[in-house]
Structures are given as structure tokens and as C-alpha cells.
Amino acid sequence: MPDRGGGPTGPRIRVGRPSRRVRTLLMTLGVLAVLGMAFTMFAGFWTDWLWYRSVNYSSVFTTTLWTKIGLFFVFGLLMALAVGFNIWLAHRLRPPLSAMSMEQQNLDRYRMGIAPYKKWLLFAITSLVGLIAGASASGQWRTWLMWVNGVSFGQKDPQFNLDVSFYAFDLPWYRFLLGFGFAAAILSVIAAALTHYLYGGLRITSPGARATAAATGHLSVLIGIFVALKAVAYWLDRYGLAVKSSDFKATDNWTGLRYVDANAYLPAKTILFCIAVICALLFFATLWRRTWQLPVIGFGLMVLSAILIGGLYPAIVQKFQVQPNEQAKEAPYVEKNLAATRQAYGIDGTKVSDYAGKTNTEDLTQLRDDVDAAASIRIMDPNIVSPTFQQLQQIRNYYAFPTNLDVDRYSKDGKDQDTVIGLREINLSGIPKNNWINDHFRYTHGYGVVAAEGTTADSEGRPEFTESDLPSKGELGKYEQRIYYGEKTSMYSIVGGPQKEIDYSDDSGEKTYSYQGDSGVNLSNPVNRAAYAVAFSEPQILYSGAIGEGSRILYNRTPKDRVEAVAPWLTIDGDAYPAVVDGRIQWIVDAYTTTNGYPYSSRTTLGDTTADSLTATNNQRAVVAQQNQVNYIRNSVKATVDAYTGEVKLYEWDTQDPVLKTWRKAFPGTVEPKSEISDALMAHLRYPQDLFKVQRELLTRYHVKDAETFLSGSEVWQVPDDPTNKASESVPPYYLSMKMPDQKTQAFSLTTTFTPNGRDNLSAFMAVDAEAGTKGYGQIRILKLPTSTTVSGPKQIQSQFNSEQDIAETIRLLRGGDSEVEYGNLLAVPLDGGLLYVEPVYVRGGGLKYPLLRKVLVTYGGATAFEDTLEEALNKVFGADGATEQPPPDEGEGTGEDEGGETTPPPTAEDPTVQEALNDAQKAFEAGQEALKKGDWEAYGRAQEDLQDALRRAEDAQAQPDNTGGGGAEGGAGN
């Protein structure tokens, strides 16, 4: 072409459709992307189904899935129909546009723009609101199942005389339906109004009427439906007062009606209900009157009434009727709250008895023999000695113990004894080399139980192991020792295929093993392998040669995760504990049924009430349901998880719990009856700590039964902070075999202490019989100390220990060099009207990075001892075997007096025998100090024994008659 003068010419760029090859490539990529997204969604669904089927709880998966699907489609379709119908109706009722105003001329562009796509636009809008509504409704599957399967509580609320099940199961569902109705009405009003405006049914700037008669009638009916729903809301609010939370000076999270609720809010809600019904009828009447004048006036009056009757009037009643005489006005409602709260938390049977807090026995030596009968005092603190277990029984770096060990009971010589127990679980951070094969194929399981007596230690302060070594052997007999499921086992493993696992190592080398159980999901199927490769984002699962015939993938391996998955309607205790039962290691998990709808019962936040000094310093010891607020709780299920097969079993525990009965109807066959619990398993079940912590928190206020005392707040207690832990958190409860004053024999118990609100002295001691299968199981006892006398609490006892000059000096010496002193559990034991406190003291230092029991602190009746062993400390406190310090001599005492009346002075340190013994004591002390500096604990132990021997010889020498005297003198020298 000739040059037209438009500048330099060049190659011409042709803009047009992409080539067929490019189109084909783009189409292929699009199809692959869609297929990839679809398979990703399928992989999540399929792997979940396979897992539930592998644990034989597929019914939980299907019931939950179909419930969610049903709710999604039903409520999604209802919302789509409601909005779509009103859009269609508004379009159908559009007026003819003959004389168009400027406003309508501007809107005509939009009408013309959407005209070709009206059906598609209607479909898109209704689909969007339907999807959102359906997704919201599917999240209410628990509410639906509880409503449709709810059973009666057999108890009625004191205000409306309705069964508690109405509030726990029915009212939440009615509120959901009401909320859905409000959403549908509001969206319908908005959609209809926009459609009427777009097609001229509503006008803003056009002359003449602002709305056509058809638009007026349509929108009036929709608003009338909204107001009618508001009337229903007012009526339900009447019943909601019984489960309404409010601040009350006597307690936080008060639930139930108070005086102002019963005498102001309740009649106000009834009046507002009537007004709303009348107002709704006025809106419906516009179908005939074609005017909004009366409905708008009625709606305004309803709003004004809501402000005056529902807000101002109750405030006036509170100000002028309640506050001047609050105690008398609120007392009847407080009594209802007291009764309901105690019932809902299972503390209504608590036995509260007065306790002196000090002994009446003047000669403490008479009580020494009573100590052993009062309690089997545990000096092995499971929260301290885990590093000791780790150091002495880890054997291989790829094993580990939990940070907090557990306390259980095992029989020895026909007698149950408290035992500290832990499992040697797999620890992937300790394997020689981390790679995909090692992490998931070779190092797959832990091995063996390690257990030690809770009440004794050896001469070096180490635990007295009753089950130890690798493979473990001891008093537990033969059992399957491999641990494929545990608290620290969070990584998936692939077992049973061509790749052998490392079983354990001994002097002859590594032993290999191949998993023989049927747990997990079979990976022989290529579809399964592909699904797990996608689900776990690990493509090697798809093509690895280490996976073959018989390979199975194990995941969801912690006991808590497995129980939560098979029973999503349960709240799980924060601490699962192991037990050897019938030749197998079983994890025992306590599970709770809860509700937030028990009328008049005060609410509590589980995450707050189950927190203590252990949860604050240990991530593994979890709290229960961090933000879950409840006002009813039962330990209704005991669950077990087999450490080898991962088999989960749920056992009914509380046979009277209506919440559990409801869930058993919803998920039939998932919970086995209580009669299926074997005797061997029953021997290891115990009262759960988290339930106990919830109950003790409630009992700080609800131990009183009369409204007057409750309102005065004079009897409010608090759970003291742990004096042995730097974290300013509550002291944890302790398991201990002990005897309360009204018991004839020891019982495995869970104990705690209370102090007055804002003070450190002791106000009460609480214990619950924790031994399952016994008649007294679950009985809570509180020993209430007199308010007129001061009895030292845990913090004061700890301060007393630290302020004793001799004890402080010894602790300073123990801290010499690189050593650290760690205080164990401060145990309290009721004894003859007083309280015996015992605290083990551990030393960690030098070349040893694990704590050893070095001293035991004991105090009772003002006497304190700090000795190497519990026996020695008790003997000193109770004056047994001459171990206690003698009182200072009165006038005329301290000298030997012969028959002639002449006195002989007691032997002094100048006595050669005494002097020799004191010299030996000095040498032993210096040797001990030298050993401390070097971190040689064995030498330190020998030096301590030599020191005790030398001091004993010196004491014995001083107790002998003087070589020059003729009378028998009693020395006044003590330890």
C-alpha cells in the first residue's frame, strides 16, 4: 500500500481471535482447574468417610452429613423462594409507564439493560441468598438434632412450670426459626422495595403518589409479617427471661428471673406482644384501606412502648422498689438460683461440715500412728518428675514422656497404691535423621509403660519404679506395649506395607516390626492414595514405592482428637490418662454433656474455670472448650482409646442424664451401656479433674444454701493461687488416697483448698471420692473452718516454710552452684481436727538435668520439719523416736539430780565423744558442699548420710550420764 504520511511504516499487528491451539490449551487448562477443584473437594469428603468407616463410627458421619444437607436444602430453598417470589410479585405488580417523569426516564436505562437477563438475574439473586441461608442453617445441625430427639428432664422451672427440656432443646430451635423468619422478611422487603422502585411502583421525586396501591399492599403485608414475627419474639422473650444472663452483685453470669424481671420485664413483654399483634393487623389491613397512616402510627406506638414499657419502667422499678430493700426483694429469686445452680452442676449433694482447723491433742506423739491411716501421702509429684522419667527411662532419644505424668491406682500385694505413670511415646524430634521415610514409615510408635510408686523414693531421691526398662517389665504383667496412639503422637504414619518399622533397640541392635492391627485406612486402592496425597498435600503418597499391599495410614492419633471426632456432641476433658487394662494400654478420656439452657442456673466459662497453674505453664495440659459458656454439665461418658489399634469405645456413665439420652437417640448405637464396662477398666476410672475444677469454682459461692448469706457475700471463698508455681494461677487439684473425718478407710480422692475472698488464710478443704465403682463415688465433702480463728492457708504455709531459719539455710545450700530447687505439690490432709501439710522438695542441678527428691517439708499444729525422707519429717513433727525438738527446760529442769539432792551438769561439747562426733559432722558437711559444687549427687548423698550419723552420735553421747556424775541426766540438746 502507498505511504499515506502517517509516520514510519512497520509490520502490521493483527488483532483477532486466538488460534485454535491457544483456545484448546486454555480450554484444557480450565477443565483441569475445575477437575482439580472438584477432586480436592472430593478428597476431603472421601478421606473423612474412610476414616469414620475405619473406626466403625460411619453412622456419626452419615447422620451429621445428611442432617447438614437436609437443613441446607430446606432452609436455602425456603429463603430463595421467599425472596424470589417477592421479586416476581413486585415485577408482576408494576404499573404501566405511560407518562414518564425524569426519574423514570433515568431508571429506564437500567430496565432496558437488565431486560434480556431478567430470568438469569432472578436466578442468581435467589441462588445467592439461598446458598447463604442454607450454609447458615446447616451449622444448626446440633440444635435440630436436640430438638427433634429431646427427652424430658423430669424437672420444671419455678416460674412458668415448663419442663427444663423446653429451655434446653426447644427454645434454641424456636429462636433459630425466628431469626430465619426475620432474615427472610427483611430480605424480602428490601428486594420487593428495590423492584417496585425500579419499575415505578415506588417514586421518590416524581409528582403524585409516592407508591402505587399494589406496591403499598405488597410492602405492607411484608412489614406486617415482620411485626408479627416481632410479636412472637416478645412472647418467646418471656420464657427467655428464665435463661437470660445478667450481672448481679452476688455473682457474675446470673441466670434466671430477678424481682425486676418477674414484676416489670415479664408484664412488659406480654403488653408488647399484644401491641405488636395489633400493629401487625393494621399493616395487613392496608390490603383494603390502601393507606399506611394507621400502620405507621401503630408502628411508632410500638417503638415508643418498647422504650417506655420495656426499658424505662423496669429501670424505675429497680431504682425505687428493689434498691431500697434489695435483700428482701431478691431473696425468693436467689433461692431459686441457688437450687437450680446446685442441681445443674451436680453439687446439690455436697456435704458441708464444720471443722476445727486445729488439733485438741496436746501430745502430738499420740497422732504419729494415725498419719499412715489418714493418707497414703504421695511424694512423687507427677507434674515435677517427668524429666526424671525422661532421663532414667527414655532409653532412646526418639522416645519421650508427657510433661505432666498421671496418677492412677495399681494393686501391690493385694493393696491398691497410688502410682505415677507415663507412656514412652514416639518423639520425632529425637530421631537420628528426619526425612519422609523416617518420619512416617520407620519411627511410627512408642514402646512401654513406665510406672513408679507415688509414696516412696530411693536413697538417691529417684522414683521407685514398678514398671521400667525397654521392653518394659515389672509388676504390670504382660501387655501389648506398642503405642501407636498417644498424646504426643500427632503425625500421620503409614504402616503394614513393605517398609519395616523400628520396634525398639536393645544391646543386640534394632528390632523391626510390621503393624498387625486393622486400624487406619488401607492405601492399596489408588483412589485412596490420590485422595490422601491431596488431603495431606503430600504427592509422595501417590507414587512412593514404600507403600504397597497392606499399607495403612494412621492419623487423628491423639485420644482427644479421636473421641471428639466420633462424638462431636461431647465436650472433652483436657487430660487423657493411660491405664493397663486386660493386657492392653488404654487411654481413658472423660467426656461431658453440657447445655446453656438450664433455667435459673448461673453460667460459667469452661475455659476460665478449668485453667490453673498447670495449664498456664504447659501447652499439653489443655483447658476445656476455651470460650464455651454452659450452665449445666455432667460427666456422662467415659471413653477409651486403645493405644495399639486406636479403637474408640464410648461408655454411658451417667444413666440419668437427659442430654446424653437425647444424643443417644440422635446417634443410636454409638454409646455402649454402662454394664459393658469391665471390672478391670472400672478399677482405673476416676473422677475427672476438669469437672471438679468447675464444681469447686461454683462452690466458692454456692456452698451456702440461704439467700441472706449469699446476698451478703460474707461467705464467698476463692481458689488460692499455687504457692509452688511462679504462674499466678489457681492451685491445681491433687489426687490422693486419704480419709475424710466421716470415712472409716482411705479412698482415692481429688482434693483442693479454699481461702476467704481477698485473704490468704484457709477457709475450707474440699475432697471428692474419685474411686469409680464404689458406693461413695462422686460424693463431695467440704470441711468448713471457723471464721473466728485463723488457720494458715497454702500461701501462708509456703511462706512459713521459707521463713524458718534452718529451712531457709538448707535451701540456700541446696541452691549452691548450678542447682535449682523445685517445690512439689503442697498436699493437705485432715488429721484430728487439724491439717497436715506435706510438700516434697526436689533439686535439679550440676551435671544432672532432672529433679531428685532431696527433702520433705511437713507441718502440723505449728511444728515444722524439713528432713531427707517423709518418715523422718513425720517423726520429727510428731515427736516419734526422739526426733522432735524438746521444749526449753523449766526452772529446775535441764540438770541431773541425784538422790542426795546434788545436781550434775549435762555433758557439754567438751566431752571427747561429743567433740569427735561434732568434728565428723563438720567434715561431712564440708564434703557435702564440695559435692554440690561438682554436681556429684551420689557423693552428696553419702555426705548427708555421714552428717546425719555424726549428729545422731553427738545426740546419743549427750543423752548419756556424765562420766563424773552420779545421777541420770536428761540432755536438752536437740537436733
Side-chain angles (χ1 to χ4, degrees):
M1 295 180 67
D3 187 0
R4 300 288 184 180
T9 62
R12 185 171 295 180
I13 300 174
R14 181 180 179 182
V15 179
R17 297 178 62 188
S19 66
R20 178 177 297 177
R21 180 179 299 176
V22 174
R23 292 200 307 271
T24 303
L25 178 61
L26 292 175
M27 186 177 296
T28 303
L29 291 176
V31 171
L32 289 176
V34 172
L35 290 176
M37 294 176 60
F39 189 78
T40 300
M41 297 175 61
F42 167 78
F45 165 81
W46 185 243
T47 53
D48 285 346
W49 162 250
L50 291 174
W51 187 86
Y52 276 97
R53 192 175 64 175
S54 73
V55 293
N56 298 318
Y57 281 90
S58 56
S59 63
V60 174
F61 179 81
T62 55
T63 300
T64 305
L65 178 64
W66 285 116
T67 302
K68 290 180 178 179
I69 291 174
L71 292 172
F72 176 86
F73 279 105
V74 169
F75 286 94
L77 186 62
L78 286 175
M79 182 64 76
L81 288 174
V83 175
F85 172 77
N86 283 284
I87 293 175
W88 172 84
L89 185 60
H91 179 266
R92 184 178 178 84
L93 296 176
R94 67 191 184 280
L97 301 174
S98 53
M100 297 181 64
S101 64
M102 185 63 67
E103 179 184 18
Q104 294 303 314
Q105 290 177 8
N106 292 331
L107 289 174
D108 195 48
R109 291 179 298 169
Y110 297 102
R111 289 193 286 263
M112 293 177 63
I114 67 173
Y117 310 106
K118 284 192 292 186
K119 292 182 179 179
W120 289 107
L121 185 60
L122 178 62
F123 177 77
I125 293 174
T126 55
S127 296
L128 179 61
V129 296
L131 287 172
I132 296 173
S136 176
S138 65
Q140 299 293 321
W141 64 271
R142 289 181 177 86
T143 307
W144 160 260
L145 288 176
M146 293 185 77
W147 178 68
V148 77
N149 295 288
V151 301
S152 172
F153 272 69
Q155 297 171 336
K156 296 184 177 181
D157 79 282
Q159 180 67 41
F160 301 102
N161 203 33
L162 295 174
D163 192 88
V164 173
S165 61
F166 171 80
Y167 303 94
F169 305 141
D170 300 343
L171 191 58
W173 179 249
Y174 297 154
R175 281 176 166 167
F176 163 72
L177 292 179
L178 188 62
F180 178 84
F182 276 126
I186 292 172
L187 289 176
S188 296
V189 168
I190 294 173
L194 289 175
T195 305
H196 280 300
Y197 175 70
L198 182 63
Y199 287 97
L202 293 177
R203 305 181 182 93
I204 298 177
T205 61
S206 300
R210 299 299 184 202
T212 63
T216 300
H218 183 196
L219 293 177
S220 294
V221 170
L222 290 177
I223 297 174
I225 292 174
F226 176 85
V227 175
L229 290 173
K230 187 61 181 175
V232 176
Y234 282 133
W235 188 256
L236 288 181
D237 284 346
R238 299 170 68 256
Y239 302 109
L241 292 172
V243 290
K244 175 182 68 72
S245 289
S246 61
D247 293 330
F248 189 37
K249 72 175 185 178
T251 178
D252 297 328
N253 293 317
W254 169 280
T255 304
L257 284 81
R258 292 158 52 192
Y259 181 88
V260 69
D261 296 315
N263 295 276
Y265 280 112
L266 187 58
K269 296 293 183 183
T270 305
I271 295 171
L272 289 172
F273 164 76
C274 297
I275 293 174
V277 170
I278 296 172
C279 185
L281 293 175
L282 291 175
F283 274 105
F284 293 145
T286 56
L287 287 172
W288 298 276
R289 294 178 56 85
R290 303 296 182 181
T291 176
W292 276 352
Q293 184 176 4
L294 284 178
V296 169
I297 293 174
F299 188 80
L301 289 175
M302 187 182 76
V303 173
L304 183 63
S305 300
I307 296 172
L308 297 178
I309 302 175
L312 185 60
Y313 173 62
I316 293 173
V317 171
Q318 178 69 25
K319 180 70 174 178
F320 295 102
Q321 291 191 33
V322 178
Q323 289 185 4
N325 192 17
E326 185 175 33
Q327 191 156 317
K329 296 290 187 182
E330 300 287 14
Y333 304 96
V334 170
E335 289 176 357
K336 296 175 184 178
N337 177 267
L338 284 170
T341 302
R342 292 168 64 85
Q343 170 64 30
Y345 289 94
I347 57 177
D348 51 329
T350 301
K351 294 182 179 179
V352 181
S353 55
D354 294 331
Y355 194 69
K358 60 181 181 179
T359 180
N360 294 320
T361 304
E362 296 182 0
D363 185 3
L364 296 184
T365 57
Q366 300 177 18
L367 298 178
R368 177 63 185 89
D369 294 336
D370 296 339
V371 176
D372 294 334
S376 298
I377 299 174
R378 178 173 42 75
I379 56 176
M380 283 290 113
D381 186 347
N383 307 310
I384 296 289
V385 299
S386 179
T388 308
F389 274 50
Q390 186 83 0
Q391 184 70 26
L392 301 178
Q393 289 296 319
Q394 180 188 22
I395 312 297
R396 295 288 182 269
N397 288 337
Y398 48 81
Y399 293 131
F401 292 91
T403 307
N404 296 102
L405 303 177
D406 289 290
V407 178
D408 203 349
R409 295 137 294 150
Y410 286 89
S411 180
K412 182 178 181 181
D413 300 327
K415 182 181 179 181
D416 285 348
Q417 64 176 8
D418 293 358
T419 301
V420 178
I421 186 172
L423 299 189
R424 194 184 286 112
E425 296 188 43
I426 194 69
N427 175 30
L428 293 180
S429 61
I431 66 177
K433 184 178 181 180
N434 287 100
N435 55 52
W436 192 63
I437 294 296
N438 279 346
D439 291 351
H440 300 288
F441 290 83
R442 290 180 57 76
Y443 295 91
T444 60
H445 59 278
Y447 208 100
V449 173
V450 177
E453 293 183 11
T455 56
T456 61
D458 68 11
S459 60
E460 300 299 323
R462 295 173 300 198
E464 292 274 10
F465 291 109
T466 58
E467 186 79 11
S468 60
D469 300 333
L470 184 67
S472 295
K473 54 183 178 291
E475 298 177 3
L476 300 184
K478 293 184 178 181
Y479 58 95
E480 174 55 67
Q481 298 197 18
R482 297 174 182 88
I483 303 161
Y484 283 88
Y485 296 87
E487 288 181 302
K488 300 177 75 68
T489 316
S490 57
M491 190 76 73
Y492 73 88
S493 289
I494 299 176
V495 298
Q499 179 65 58
K500 293 294 184 181
E501 312 162 43
I502 293 178
D503 204 21
Y504 65 90
S505 300
D506 58 16
D507 295 337
S508 61
E510 289 183 347
K511 309 291 184 182
T512 59
Y513 181 74
S514 185
Y515 185 64
Q516 302 298 313
D518 58 358
S519 180
V521 178
N522 196 323
L523 292 181
S524 300
N525 187 327
V527 175
N528 292 356
R529 293 178 66 171
Y532 279 102
V534 171
F536 288 175
S537 301
E538 183 50 72
Q540 293 187 77
I541 295 177
L542 185 60
Y543 55 77
S544 174
I547 301 176
E549 189 65 30
S551 292
R552 310 183 72 85
I553 184 168
L554 312 181
Y555 62 104
N556 279 1
R557 297 170 70 184
T558 67
K560 187 174 185 290
D561 287 344
R562 295 181 78 78
V563 176
E564 277 184 331
V566 303
W569 37 274
L570 290 173
T571 301
I572 310 301
D573 190 270
D575 183 33
Y577 61 98
V580 177
V581 180
D582 293 328
R584 307 193 70 85
I585 300 174
Q586 298 282 355
W587 289 99
I588 300 175
V589 183
D590 286 289
Y592 310 106
T593 48
T594 62
T595 182
N596 198 24
Y598 197 100
Y600 275 97
S601 172
S602 290
R603 290 187 172 91
T604 186
T605 303
L606 293 182
D608 294 337
T609 54
T610 58
D612 57 28
S613 62
L614 296 183
T615 60
T617 57
N618 176 25
N619 292 331
Q620 184 177 308
R621 181 64 175 94
V623 297
V624 174
Q626 185 67 47
Q627 301 300 324
N628 194 6
Q629 267 209 340
V630 304
N631 66 355
Y632 171 93
I633 187 170
R634 288 290 186 273
N635 177 213
S636 54
V637 171
K638 301 283 188 182
T640 62
V641 178
D642 191 291
Y644 182 79
T645 66
E647 180 185 22
V648 182
K649 287 189 176 181
L650 308 176
Y651 295 100
E652 174 192 33
W653 184 247
D654 189 334
T655 58
Q656 303 301 317
D657 178 29
V659 182
L660 177 60
K661 292 178 180 178
T662 296
W663 286 119
R664 292 187 73 181
K665 282 182 64 180
F667 296 96
T670 56
V671 180
E672 299 185 25
K674 187 175 183 178
S675 58
E676 293 298 314
I677 300 177
S678 66
D679 293 339
L681 175 59
M682 184 71 75
H684 295 282
L685 300 181
R686 68 188 190 188
Y687 202 84
Q689 292 185 62
D690 285 328
L691 175 61
F692 183 78
K693 286 189 280 189
V694 170
Q695 291 174 326
R696 75 172 179 178
E697 180 64 29
L698 269 295
L699 283 168
T700 58
R701 302 182 303 275
Y702 287 91
H703 61 278
V704 300
K705 296 184 179 180
D706 63 288
E708 183 177 348
T709 306
F710 186 84
L711 285 167
S712 70
S714 60
E715 291 289 335
V716 175
W717 299 336
Q718 67 181 12
V719 180
D721 289 341
D722 188 351
T724 68
N725 197 303
K726 294 181 181 179
S728 298
E729 297 289 344
S730 301
V731 61
Y734 296 122
Y735 286 106
L736 182 68
S737 290
M738 55 161 288
K739 181 177 67 173
M740 291 289 277
D742 64 336
Q743 293 178 301
K744 295 181 180 179
T745 58
Q746 291 183 19
F748 189 64
S749 305
L750 195 52
T751 66
T752 192
T753 53
F754 294 111
T755 58
N757 193 25
R759 297 171 59 194
D760 293 325
N761 58 289
L762 196 68
S763 57
F765 176 84
M766 173 180 169
V768 62
D769 193 333
E771 193 162 354
T774 61
K775 184 177 180 181
Y777 173 83
Q779 177 61 61
I780 299 175
R781 296 176 175 86
I782 292 180
L783 302 180
K784 182 181 175 183
L785 279 71
T787 56
S788 57
T789 59
T790 301
V791 179
S792 297
K795 187 175 181 179
Q796 293 172 326
I797 291 295
Q798 191 67 45
S799 298
Q800 179 182 332
F801 284 154
N802 297 336
S803 62
E804 290 276 349
Q805 184 174 354
D806 293 341
I807 295 176
E809 178 64 19
T810 304
I811 290 177
R812 187 186 67 80
L813 295 175
L814 292 174
R815 285 192 173 126
D818 297 331
S819 301
E820 296 179 5
V821 172
E822 297 184 30
Y823 293 100
N825 37 219
L826 180 57
L827 302 176
V829 177
L831 178 66
D832 191 49
L835 282 166
L836 172 69
Y837 284 97
V838 179
E839 182 178 67
V841 178
Y842 301 83
V843 176
R844 183 203 303 246
L848 301 176
K849 299 304 181 184
Y850 58 93
L852 295 175
L853 179 67
R854 288 304 181 195
K855 294 286 184 179
V856 179
L857 285 161
V858 174
T859 184
Y860 182 79
T864 302
F866 188 52
E867 301 298 321
D868 292 343
T869 67
L870 175 62
E871 194 74 16
E872 292 174 0
L874 291 173
N875 286 342
K876 183 174 181 179
V877 165
F878 291 97
D881 300 329
T884 189
E885 289 188 323
Q886 300 296 326
D890 295 331
E891 186 177 351
E893 291 186 356
T895 59
E897 192 171 307
D898 61 19
E899 294 178 356
E902 296 181 3
T903 62
T904 57
T908 66
E910 297 178 359
D911 187 299
T913 306
V914 175
Q915 186 62 52
E916 181 183 0
L918 292 177
N919 290 338
D920 291 343
Q922 181 64 29
K923 292 177 182 178
F925 177 77
E926 293 173 354
Q929 292 302 107
E930 188 66 26
L932 273 176
K933 293 178 182 179
K934 296 179 180 179
D936 189 345
W937 290 104
E938 185 175 353
Y940 176 77
R942 289 196 302 268
Q944 291 296 302
E945 293 176 359
D946 294 342
L947 176 61
Q948 293 294 327
D949 179 67
L951 292 175
R952 193 175 293 109
R953 284 191 284 114
E955 183 180 358
D956 292 342
Q958 286 188 318
Q960 298 298 321
D962 193 315
N963 292 334
T964 61
E970 294 184 2
N975 286 343

